[in-house]
């Protein structure tokens, strides 16, 4: 097997990388205007040559202390740190400085250094994964860790997203002109509820929507209503594709609920499969025909991780062009290697990643969440943003926060299940891109179906 050190292709790559690193260091020494681009794109660890790491670190420290950056000040800084010889000495730093001609090629030099840095990290992660596989018999745990490790690498992470407003304005005007030609009034995925759609203009691509309520308030049922309504609507003359991650409930139970809602047959009767009339069977077959034409994809993996959700959504977007994702529910998403001692921080990380995934894939994500018991201690039991369980980061990351509230749920004088139709408030407590307020609904508990109520 040929030694890599004698491979002319690899030798050329190393030479090109060395040249790119020296060019960036030289530009940093002579072009103050280029420093923001360099510091926002690269870190010390992105440099491959050890002496270059030390020189760049000295440049960073000089800049942070508002000191002039030049070959002389870099030499002084490294000398004070007793690292001058490790950095190649005075002559080496002077040679790098003398290589400066122009900063015109800075972007391409940064790209070479950054991509090589990601490649090295990728190779190291592969080695770590292989080592883990040899020592850990739990294949599922190894795969989860591998997904976490690999998804942390991002070739676009150092891209500069700053854009002059004139360029952004051109994009906005172009989008407005395209919207003017459309006959559809909703910009996003419809909920199927008139008043909600008027407030939101549909669920928008890239948005993280939190739907929260106390247990038995109907949040899973409402989420299924949203998913079903979206699946039977069309976008660009094509039905919407919906992904549902049901961490708590098996897909068969979830499908039974959707069937009950669609056929308007008691959910409990469908569960038992007894005493179903001929008329009801006809409704079941009609509902089945409708559901067969929808594109609702259900993943009921217990303890699914955020990395698994991300990779599966990427695949569904690629293969099925999904338009909406529903996750039931936030607090059940697993974190590999967690011992559960800092669940609040874990939930913060999960909500932050869900927002990033929504933007990355370009779809709205509706994630269900629990509310804390503090609701029960108040006289007015309408939920507030402070009631979101486990983390205030959920409120910060969400583009929209919706609460379900039924006053009759708290009526201790009677069994709230006695009444089949119950008035329900959908409280829009946060809406980053639109109004907040209440939407009046009626909840048919027998079928798990929500309908609009007039204001």
């Amino acid at each position: 097997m040929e030694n890599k050190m004698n491979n002319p292709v690899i030798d050329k790559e190393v030479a090109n990388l060395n040249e790119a690193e020296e060019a960036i260091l030289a530009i940093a020494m002579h072009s103050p205007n280029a420093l923001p681009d360099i510091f926002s794109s690269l870190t010390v660890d992105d440099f491959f040559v050890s002496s270059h790491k030390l020189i760049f670190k000295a440049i960073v420290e000089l800049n942070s202390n508002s000191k002039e950056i030049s070959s002389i000040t870099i030499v002084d800084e490294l000398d004070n740190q007793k690292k001058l010889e490790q950095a190649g000495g005075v002559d080496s730093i002077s040679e790098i400085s003398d290589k400066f001609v122009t900063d015109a090629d800075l972007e391409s030099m940064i790209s070479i250094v950054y991509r090589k840095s990601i490649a090295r990290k990728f190779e190291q992660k592969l080695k770590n994964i292989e080592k883990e596989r040899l020592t850990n018999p739990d294949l599922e745990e190894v795969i989860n860790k591998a997904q976490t490790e690999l998804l942390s690498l991002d070739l676009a992470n150092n891209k500069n997203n700053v854009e002059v407003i004139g360029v952004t304005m051109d994009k906005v005007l172009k989008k407005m002109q395209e919207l003017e030609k459309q006959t559809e009034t909703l910009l996003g995925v419809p909920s199927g509820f008139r008043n909600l759609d008027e407030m939101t203009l549909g669920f928008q691509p890239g948005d993280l929507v939190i739907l929260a309520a106390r247990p038995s308030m109907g949040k899973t049922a409402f989420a299924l209503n949203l998913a079903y309504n979206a699946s039977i609507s069309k976008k660009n003359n094509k039905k919407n594709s919906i992904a549902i991650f049901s961490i708590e409930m098996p897909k068969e139970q979830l499908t039974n609920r959707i069937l009950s809602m669609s056929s308007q047959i008691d959910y409990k009767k469908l569960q038992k499969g007894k005493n179903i009339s001929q008329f009801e069977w006809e409704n079941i077959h009609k509902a089945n025909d409708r559901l067969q034409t929808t594109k609702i994809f259900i993943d009921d993996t217990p303890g699914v991780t955020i990395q698994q959700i991300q990779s599966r959504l990427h695949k569904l977007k690629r293969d099925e062009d999904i338009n909406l994702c529903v996750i039931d529910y936030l607090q059940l998403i697993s974190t590999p290697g967690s011992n559960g001692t800092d669940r609040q921080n874990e939930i913060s990380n999960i909500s932050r990643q869900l927002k990033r995934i929504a933007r990355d894939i370009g779809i709205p994500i509706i994630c269900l969440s629990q509310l804390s018991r503090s609701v029960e201690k108040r006289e007015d039991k309408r939920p507030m943003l402070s009631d979101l369980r486990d983390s205030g980061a959920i409120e910060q990351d969400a583009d929209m926060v919706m609460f379900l509230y039924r006053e009759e749920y708290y009526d201790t004088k009677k069994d709230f299940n006695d009444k089949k139709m119950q008035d329900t408030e959908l409280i829009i407590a946060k809406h980053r891109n639109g109004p907040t307020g209440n939407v009046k609904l009626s909840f048919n508990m027998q079928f798990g179906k929500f309908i609009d109520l007039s204001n």
Side-chain angles (χ1 to χ4, degrees):
M1 182 175 176
E2 186 180 8
N3 191 319
K4 284 187 177 182
M5 296 302 294
N6 297 324
N7 188 323
V9 174
I10 293 178
D11 290 344
K12 184 178 180 180
E13 288 181 357
V14 171
N16 289 341
L17 177 58
N18 184 74
E19 184 180 332
E21 290 186 356
E22 288 184 341
I24 292 169
L25 295 175
I27 291 170
M29 294 178 195
H30 292 275
S31 182
N33 291 334
L35 291 175
D37 289 330
I38 296 172
F39 292 145
S40 65
S41 303
L42 298 173
T43 67
V44 172
D45 289 337
D46 288 323
F47 285 81
F48 174 65
V49 181
S50 57
S51 59
H52 295 168
K53 286 179 183 285
L54 291 173
I55 296 171
F56 187 71
K57 186 177 181 182
I59 291 171
V60 171
E61 289 172 356
L62 287 168
N63 182 73
S64 64
N65 292 319
S66 301
K67 293 181 179 179
E68 180 190 358
I69 297 172
S70 68
S71 59
I72 296 172
T73 57
I74 292 169
V75 166
D76 287 341
E77 179 70 23
L78 289 168
D79 193 35
N80 291 335
Q81 296 176 9
K82 302 188 184 309
K83 293 181 179 177
L84 182 56
E85 292 308 312
Q86 288 177 254
V90 177
D91 291 343
S92 178
I93 295 170
S94 297
E95 286 177 12
I96 292 173
S97 176
D98 291 342
K99 290 184 179 181
F100 175 76
V101 177
T102 175
D103 60 8
D105 292 332
L106 178 61
E107 187 176 341
S108 61
M109 295 298 105
I110 287 175
S111 177
I112 291 171
V113 172
Y114 183 76
R115 292 179 74 87
K116 286 297 182 183
S117 172
I118 291 293
R120 292 194 302 275
K121 291 173 183 176
F122 175 69
E123 290 170 2
Q124 184 57 52
K125 288 182 185 298
L126 289 180
K127 290 177 182 177
N128 293 341
I129 292 166
E130 179 62 23
K131 184 178 179 181
E132 179 78 13
R133 177 69 188 98
L134 294 173
T135 56
N136 190 345
D138 190 336
L139 181 60
E140 185 175 356
E141 184 179 341
V142 173
I143 291 173
N144 285 338
K145 286 184 178 179
Q147 288 179 326
T148 303
E149 289 288 311
L150 295 177
L151 288 172
S152 68
L153 299 176
D154 186 359
L155 279 172
N157 194 46
N158 73 329
K159 294 276 181 70
N160 189 349
N161 292 319
V162 176
E163 190 173 73
V164 66
I165 193 169
V167 175
T168 310
M169 192 65 200
D170 289 341
K171 295 177 183 178
V172 169
L173 290 176
K174 183 179 179 181
K175 185 175 182 181
M176 288 173 63
Q177 290 166 352
E178 291 172 353
L179 291 172
E180 189 179 25
K181 298 174 185 177
Q182 293 182 8
T183 56
E184 299 175 0
T185 57
L186 294 181
L187 304 180
V189 179
S191 69
F193 299 100
R194 183 184 66 257
N195 295 329
L196 177 58
D197 284 337
E198 285 179 0
M199 291 178 69
T200 64
L201 298 180
F203 296 116
Q204 304 302 312
D207 277 3
L208 173 60
V209 180
I210 297 295
L211 172 62
R214 289 295 291 151
S216 301
M217 198 64 77
K219 58 181 179 291
T220 298
F222 185 66
L224 292 180
N225 276 248
L226 295 176
Y228 176 74
N229 292 345
S231 73
I232 60 176
S233 67
K234 291 184 178 180
K235 183 177 181 180
N236 299 326
N237 294 320
K238 188 174 71 172
K239 283 190 175 181
N240 290 306
S241 298
I242 316 297
I244 300 177
F245 289 88
S246 178
I247 309 172
E248 186 177 35
M249 190 180 299
K251 60 171 70 78
E252 290 79 8
Q253 288 186 25
L254 214 62
T255 303
N256 249 343
R257 284 194 173 204
I258 297 173
L259 178 60
S260 174
M261 176 181 59
S262 179
S263 66
Q264 299 194 38
I265 298 173
D266 194 321
Y267 172 68
K268 293 180 180 177
K269 183 177 281 192
L270 292 177
Q271 273 189 313
K272 294 176 182 177
K274 303 289 186 182
N275 303 317
I276 299 175
S277 68
Q278 183 61 37
F279 175 74
E280 288 172 329
W281 270 115
E282 290 175 4
N283 282 348
I284 290 172
H285 290 307
K286 289 177 183 177
N288 176 55
D289 290 341
R290 286 193 296 272
L291 288 170
Q292 292 291 348
T293 64
T294 64
K295 298 182 75 175
I296 300 176
F297 302 90
I298 303 175
D299 186 320
D300 63 354
T301 305
V304 68
T305 67
I306 190 68
Q307 291 77 25
Q308 290 171 327
I309 290 173
Q310 180 179 18
S311 60
R312 291 170 194 181
L313 281 178
H314 272 290
K315 187 174 187 299
L316 283 168
K317 183 65 178 177
R318 181 194 68 199
D319 298 343
E320 305 294 344
D321 193 23
I322 59 165
N323 309 102
L324 175 71
C325 171
V326 173
I327 302 173
D328 186 11
Y329 60 90
L330 178 62
Q331 284 77 13
L332 288 180
I333 298 174
S334 295
T335 304
S338 166
N339 56 14
T341 57
D342 192 5
R343 189 57 179 162
Q344 182 170 329
N345 189 49
E346 290 172 14
I347 293 297
S348 297
N349 288 332
I350 290 169
S351 68
R352 188 160 48 249
Q353 289 185 65
L354 283 175
K355 172 57 184 172
R356 182 175 58 81
I357 293 168
R359 285 196 62 181
D360 183 34
I361 299 179
I363 61 169
I365 293 179
I366 301 174
C367 187
L368 279 58
S369 178
Q370 292 180 333
L371 290 178
S372 67
R373 292 188 178 90
S374 59
V375 177
E376 315 294 340
K377 300 174 184 177
R378 296 195 303 265
E379 185 174 345
D380 183 357
K381 301 189 184 332
R382 282 177 176 80
M384 301 184 297
L385 289 171
S386 57
D387 296 322
L388 286 170
R389 183 173 169 182
D390 289 321
S391 175
I394 299 173
E395 175 191 345
Q396 295 171 17
D397 296 326
D399 297 280
M400 187 187 304
V401 178
M402 306 188 297
F403 298 122
L404 282 176
Y405 172 73
R406 294 202 315 276
E407 190 171 338
E408 289 175 281
Y409 175 86
Y410 294 102
D411 191 345
T412 58
K413 297 178 182 178
K414 62 180 180 179
D415 184 351
F416 73 88
N417 285 305
D418 286 347
K419 191 176 180 182
K420 291 180 180 178
M421 298 292 292
Q422 294 199 0
D423 290 347
T424 304
E425 289 181 49
L426 179 68
I427 303 168
I428 313 297
K430 176 185 177 181
H431 190 190
R432 186 168 282 150
N433 302 308
T436 58
N438 292 4
V439 175
K440 294 181 180 180
L441 303 169
S442 184
F443 181 34
N444 186 318
M445 300 187 67
Q446 189 178 12
F447 308 141
K449 185 176 178 64
F450 286 82
I451 59 173
D452 273 313
L453 281 182
S454 302
N455 286 324

